[in-house]
Structures are given as C-alpha cells and as structure tokens.
C-alpha cells in the first residue's frame, strides 16, 4: 500500500517568477531567453527535450529531507598486529597462531644451538698461548714527582736520620720508645723518662739505640727527670745527625706538624696533623715508672701511639717543636692504648732546659710553692683548693692556709691543680710570685711567695 504523498510547500516567490511556465506551458518553465534543443548547446547546456518533465527541475515536484546518512564503524582489525590510538603498531601475542609460534620457538632454538656449537668448536680448535713467557718486561714510566720544601716527604728526609728507636730490655721483658739526637758530636739523645726509667740502676738491664740506617749502639742514661718526664741517654757512635730545635713562640694553633718515631715498635714511622691546642695541662704518672709530672703540653691530632714516646714533633721547617710523650685514651691512660686523635708533646723549650741541666749535672731542679691542691669549682669560678701546706714552705711563709682556693699566679688564671703546678713550674727557684686566692668564700686577696727548689 502506497504511502500518501506529504504536502508540498510552495517554493519561494523568486523561484516561481524565474521558473514558472509561460504561454500556457506546463511543468518547469524555460529560463529567460532560453529555448529547447535536441541536444545540449552552449545557449542551453542543461536543457533536453524532456527537461520540462524532469522532476528534479520541477519546483513543484514533491521532495523532502530524509534521515542523515549512517556509517557503520569498521570492526577492530583482526590479526596479531594492532594499531593503537597514536598510530603505533603493536604485536598482540594472543592472536599469534600456534604454527607461527612453533616456528618462532624452533628458530630461536636453532640459532642458540648454532651459536653454542660454534663457540665450543672455536674454543677447542683455537691455539692456546704459552703459560710462561721468557724475558718478559712490563712497561714503566718515570713521572716527575715534586717534593717541595716543607712537604711531609721533605721533612721526613731531613729529620728522619736524627730520630732513633730505643729498645729497653730488663730480664725477660722489653719495651720500645723513641728518641731525638740533639748533640751529634757527643752522642746525646733526648727521650722520655718513662721510656728508660725501668732500666736505671738495674743489673743486667740493656738500653740500645737503633738508627734510621738500621745500625745500633748501646746507650747509657745520662740523667732523667720524673717531674718533667724528660731523660737524656748517650751513645758512642760517630757520624750522627742532630735535629734542629725550634724556639719559644714559634708555633701557633693550626700549624701543620709531623710526628716521627717508632710507634708499636715500627721504626721510622711518619704521621702528620696540626697543632690543635697549646698550653694544655696534662698529668703524667705511673705506668711502671717513677714519672710524676704535669706538663704544659702541645696538643696535636697527628696520630701518636705507644712507642712514639720520646720522638720528635716537627714543624713545617723541619725544626723540632716538642717531644711526644702521651696520648689521650678512652681507657684513661696517657701512655697506652691507641691514638684517638689527641696526642701531647712536651714543648721543646722545656725539654731543652731540662736536657741541658741533665747533661750538665745529671739532675734538674724545679720551683716549688709547697702546697698540695685539688681542682674545685663553685659553678662560677674554678680554682685549686689547698689541701695541705708543707711546713717551712714558701706557701706557709706567705700566709697561705688549707682550704684557701688559689685562682691566679702572677696574673695568670688558675682553674685547676694542674694549672697551678704548671704555673709554678714555669718559674725558677728564688722567683717571687703573686698568688691570688679566695678564703672562706669571701673576696679574693693577694699574697707574695718566694719559690724554693722542689
């Protein structure tokens, strides 16, 4: 059953005027000036004999818009190679057919087998080179090494021959230390008292100095001073090399230093560091010797170990600024244990003064105030509490009493018993010093004391 024709809307008036039939014609009218023709002509290229009946040219022909065109999307491409949204081709393994997969695996196995076979064959047939080659000479170069003056290497070459290793044997026991040649002509060597004290006046004891060239010589004790931990020994050996000794005030904190000695029995060992502090009061005592000293030490971070005792602490010019004597140890000992970066040396001025006295007389003298003290503090001020005053001592003569707290000597602050001993020891017997003290918690007062020989 045919559908009814939809109503047709009249064309616009301009279209009707242009194409309406004229002179009783029906259908679509000719354009103005046009004429029908049997064929297409230049004057009427669009008109055929049946053009008037062509519904596409008839403005009154029924027409309407249908539904928009529909496009059926192509289904996802089939096959193992896929194209993503960015146009990249990817292989989807799930779509690979079994025969293709089998062929690929067999191909890989074939290539692997072929490679392995070739490797085995070439390894079997290759000619091996001889294991040993006669007259072999390896390459070598001679680079220019610069050892500038003042370098550690330069200092070690200068001072090394003047530093000796000291071996002490008493019965079946032995010990080692170090020493510094200070008088090449007479064979005098400075070392620490605690290095040689165990062999003094002991029958059968032996002291031997071993030099940088490996030669050795028996040594005798010239003198030793337990109050400063300095001793001097003497060898009978020609051709010695003496060290250069520095002077007071030649070193400041931060100066580079080199320690040379025989730590742990390893002769000729060189370590380096800096001066990390000056005038550090350090108490030395015991350790199998009669050493009982408080020194105003040079502190250094150059590694120092047992056996360095008596060796040289040298500045950048190669001059000896101190005699290594102790190390700080977590075990609380100043002469045993291992280096933890805190070593102490007796300033060369002190060592020189004591050594000159020992070489001249065999003994050394020290100034004394005549008190025994211990370190105290009240939280605001430190000092040395007098616990005993020796009868007839300079302290008694000056009116110093027990329980007084000494806080300065000649204007130099005293914050501990060690600092008091260092301050007094820096003076000479017969010197008069001003002692500032506090009594019964009151204000400070000053007294004069004339020091005597300890």
């Amino acid at each position: 059953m045919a559908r009814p024709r939809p109503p047709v809307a009249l064309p616009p008036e301009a279209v009707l005027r242009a194409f309406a039939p004229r002179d009783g014609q029906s259908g679509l009218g000719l354009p103005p000036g046009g004429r029908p023709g049997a064929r297409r002509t230049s004057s009427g290229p669009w008109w055929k004999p049946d053009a008037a009946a062509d519904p596409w040219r008839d403005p009154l022909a029924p027409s309407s818009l249908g539904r928009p065109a529909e496009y059926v999307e192509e289904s996802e491409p089939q096959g193992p190679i896929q194209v993503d949204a960015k146009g990249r081709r990817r292989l989807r393994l799930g779509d690979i057919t079994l025969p293709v997969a089998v062929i690929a695996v067999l191909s890989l196995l074939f290539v692997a087998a072929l490679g392995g076979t070739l490797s085995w064959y070439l390894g079997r047939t290759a000619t091996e080179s001889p294991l040993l080659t006669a007259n072999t000479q390896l390459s070598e170069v001679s680079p220019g090494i610069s050892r500038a003056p003042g370098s550690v290497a330069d200092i070690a070459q200068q001072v090394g021959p003047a530093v000796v290793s000291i071996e002490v044997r008493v019965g079946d026991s032995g010990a080692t230390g170090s020493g510094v040649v200070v008088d090449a002509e007479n064979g005098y060597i400075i070392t620490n008292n605690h290095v040689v004290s165990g062999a003094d006046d002991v029958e059968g004891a032996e002291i031997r100095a071993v030099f940088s060239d490996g030669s050795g010589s028996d040594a005798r004790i010239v003198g030793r001073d337990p109050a400063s931990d300095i001793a001097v020994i003497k060898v009978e050996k020609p051709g010695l090399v003496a060290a250069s000794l520095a002077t007071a005030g030649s070193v400041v904190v931060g100066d580079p230093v080199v320690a040379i000695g025989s730590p742990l029995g390893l002769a000729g060992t060189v370590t380096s560091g800096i001066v990390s502090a000056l005038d550090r009061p350090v108490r030395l005592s015991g350790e199998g010797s009669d050493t009982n000293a408080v020194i105003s030490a040079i502190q250094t971070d150059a590694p120092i170990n047992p056996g360095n005792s008596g060796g040289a602490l040298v500045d950048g010019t190669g001059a000896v600024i101190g005699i290594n004597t102790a190390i700080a140890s977590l075990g609380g000992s100043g002469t045993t244990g291992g280096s933890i970066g805190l070593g102490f040396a007796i300033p060369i001025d002190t060592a020189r003064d004591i050594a000159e006295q020992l070489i001249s007389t065999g003994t050394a003298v020290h100034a004394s105030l005549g008190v025994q003290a211990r370190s105290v503090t009240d939280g605001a001020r430190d000092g040395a509490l007098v616990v005993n005053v020796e009868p007839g001592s300079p302290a008694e003569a000056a009116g110093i009493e027990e329980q007084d707290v000494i806080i300065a000597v000649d204007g130099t602050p005293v914050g501990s018993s060690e600092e008091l001993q260092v301050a007094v020891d820096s003076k000479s017997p017969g010197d008069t010093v001003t002692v500032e003290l506090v009594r019964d918690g009151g204000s400070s007062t000053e007294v004069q004391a004339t020091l005597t020989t300890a």
Side-chain angles (χ1 to χ4, degrees):
M1 180 178 181
R3 291 187 302 175
R5 231 175 139 175
V8 179
L10 292 176
E13 183 179 354
V15 176
L16 290 175
R17 287 199 305 268
F19 296 99
R22 295 180 178 87
D23 301 329
Q25 296 180 357
S26 63
L28 187 64
L30 296 173
R35 60 182 178 82
R39 59 185 178 85
R40 298 178 183 178
T41 65
S42 59
S43 61
W46 302 106
W47 294 94
K48 295 181 180 180
D50 61 347
D54 188 347
W56 292 101
R57 291 176 169 82
D58 185 359
L60 298 177
S63 63
S64 62
L65 296 176
R67 296 178 58 189
E70 295 182 2
Y71 300 93
V72 180
E73 295 184 358
E74 296 183 2
S75 60
E76 183 177 351
Q78 300 299 317
I81 298 179
Q82 303 295 318
V83 180
D84 60 15
K86 295 183 178 181
R88 296 175 296 188
R89 295 177 176 272
R90 299 183 180 276
L91 179 64
R92 188 167 66 182
L93 298 179
D95 291 337
I96 298 177
T97 61
L98 180 61
V100 174
V102 172
I103 293 174
V105 172
L106 291 178
S107 299
L108 292 175
L109 292 176
F110 174 75
V111 172
L114 179 61
T117 303
L118 288 175
S119 299
W120 173 83
Y121 176 76
L122 294 175
R124 288 286 301 273
T125 58
T127 302
E128 293 184 353
S129 62
L131 185 61
L132 304 178
T133 302
N135 301 321
T136 297
Q137 291 184 345
L138 303 180
S139 64
E140 64 180 64
V141 296
S142 299
I145 300 176
S146 176
R147 296 183 176 91
S151 66
V152 175
D154 178 64
I155 293 171
Q157 290 179 349
Q158 289 184 53
V159 186
V163 179
V164 304
S165 177
I166 298 176
E167 300 174 352
V168 179
R169 180 165 295 280
V170 180
D172 295 332
S173 61
T176 60
S178 304
V180 180
V181 179
V182 292
D183 187 335
E185 181 179 356
N186 296 300
Y188 289 121
I189 299 172
I190 289 181
T191 186
N192 282 141
N193 175 70
H194 72 262
V195 172
V196 298
S197 61
D200 193 18
D201 294 331
V202 177
E203 185 176 354
E206 298 179 0
I207 302 176
R208 185 174 179 81
V210 180
F211 302 90
S212 60
D213 60 1
S215 62
S217 177
D218 291 337
R220 295 174 294 161
I221 296 176
V222 176
R224 55 190 189 87
D225 180 34
S228 65
D229 199 25
I230 289 293
V232 176
I233 62 175
K234 180 179 174 65
V235 296
E236 306 295 335
K237 182 178 174 63
L240 297 179
V241 177
S244 299
L245 307 183
T247 58
S250 63
V251 62
V252 298
V253 173
D255 279 350
V257 291
V258 175
I260 305 177
S262 302
L264 307 176
L266 304 174
T269 296
V270 177
T271 58
S272 65
I274 63 169
V275 173
S276 54
L278 294 172
D279 302 322
R280 180 77 73 193
V282 177
R283 182 175 294 278
L284 308 173
S285 62
E287 302 303 327
S289 76
D290 58 357
T291 296
N292 184 17
V294 176
I295 62 173
S296 180
I298 299 173
Q299 179 179 307
T300 178
D301 67 349
I304 294 176
N305 290 279
N308 271 119
S309 295
L313 187 67
V314 186
D315 65 12
T317 68
V320 179
I321 61 171
I323 301 299
N324 299 319
T325 188
I327 60 175
S329 172
L330 296 178
S333 169
T335 57
T336 62
S339 172
I340 58 173
L342 293 175
F344 305 100
I346 301 171
I348 193 60
D349 286 344
T350 300
R352 181 194 291 108
D353 178 60
I354 298 299
E356 289 173 350
Q357 294 184 57
L358 294 178
I359 292 171
S360 298
T361 65
T363 59
V365 296
H366 296 270
S368 174
L369 181 61
V371 299
Q372 294 179 353
R374 63 182 177 87
S375 303
V376 294
T377 181
D378 61 3
R381 185 167 53 186
D382 302 330
L385 175 67
V386 177
V387 296
N388 182 54
V389 177
E390 297 177 5
S393 66
E396 184 182 55
I400 299 175
E401 301 176 358
E402 295 180 1
Q403 302 304 310
D404 287 347
V405 178
I406 298 176
I407 59 174
V409 174
D410 273 351
T412 300
V414 170
S416 65
S417 60
E418 288 80 10
E419 291 183 6
L420 173 61
Q421 188 167 340
V422 167
V424 173
D425 200 46
S426 65
K427 308 296 181 179
S428 299
D431 289 347
T432 299
V433 297
T434 300
V435 179
E436 183 179 1
L437 54 86
V438 176
R439 179 172 296 168
D440 297 330
S443 59
S444 64
T445 185
E446 292 182 348
V447 298
Q448 304 292 316
T450 301
L451 305 179
T452 59
T453 301

